[in-house]
Amino acid sequence: MINQLKIDKKYVLILITVLNIFLLVLTYGKYRDFIGKYNNEYSKVKEMKFLLNNRIQTSLKADETSLSQFLKSKNFEVDSIYTGENGIEVKLKQVNPYNLVEVIYELESNGINIKNLKAVDNTGLGKMSVFMVVR
C-alpha cells in the first residue's frame, strides 16, 4: 500500500517547508513575549543598580541625640527617648497624625527603619500618643 503511494520529492520538500514556517509562526509569539519580559526585567535591574549607585547620603543618624533634635525640629513633644534591646524607643505626646506620616516618611527616606509603631488617640481630638521603636 505504501509502495503504491507515489509522492514527488518536490511535494515532500514543500510540505516540510510549510510545516517549518507554521512552527516558526507559532513560536514567534512566545519568543516575542519572552523578549519583552526579559527586557522589562533587565530594565528594572538596571534602574535598581542605578538607584543604589546614586543614593543620597543621609545626614540623619539613628542615635538618641540626633533623633531627639530631629523630632524637636518638627515641633513634636518628646516624652522619652532611650536605647532598649530592640533599638531606640521613642515616646511622643500630642502628635498630629498628618505630621506623624510626614516624619515617618522622612525617617524611612533617610535610611532609619521603624520596627514597631503604636499610635493611640484616647481623646478623640486627633492628638495621639505615639510609641515607636527605631533602628
Side-chain angles (χ1 to χ4, degrees), residues 100-115:
L100 179 63
V101 171
E102 291 174 7
V103 166
I104 290 173
Y105 175 76
E106 284 188 44
L107 289 173
E108 292 282 337
S109 65
N110 282 317
I112 297 175
N113 295 327
I114 298 176
K115 296 297 179 188

Side-chain angles (χ1 to χ4, degrees), residues 13-103:
L13 290 175
I14 290 173
L15 180 65
I16 290 173
T17 305
V18 168
L19 285 174
N20 282 336
I21 290 173
F22 179 71
L23 289 174
L24 284 174
V25 168
L26 284 178
T27 58
Y28 179 72
K30 291 183 180 184
Y31 173 75
R32 192 178 61 214
D33 292 342
F34 170 74
I35 293 297
K37 289 177 183 177
Y38 176 80
N39 287 337
N40 189 19
E41 290 297 319
Y42 180 74
S43 66
K44 286 180 184 178
V45 168
K46 291 299 275 186
E47 180 183 5
M48 175 94 62
K49 188 176 179 182
F50 173 77
L51 291 174
L52 284 174
N53 289 335
N54 296 315
R55 66 177 179 252
I56 298 172
Q57 297 296 324
T58 60
S59 60
L60 187 61
K61 297 180 182 176
D63 60 356
E64 293 179 20
T65 56
S66 64
L67 197 57
S68 175
Q69 290 173 355
F70 172 73
L71 292 172
K72 288 179 181 176
S73 71
K74 297 293 181 181
N75 296 326
F76 281 107
E77 186 179 333
V78 179
D79 188 22
S80 67
I81 294 181
Y82 59 93
T83 304
E85 292 179 13
N86 298 329
I88 301 171
E89 298 180 5
V90 180
K91 291 182 182 177
L92 304 171
K93 290 182 179 178
Q94 302 295 319
V95 178
N96 185 349
Y98 297 112
N99 295 340
L100 179 63
V101 171
E102 291 174 7
V103 166

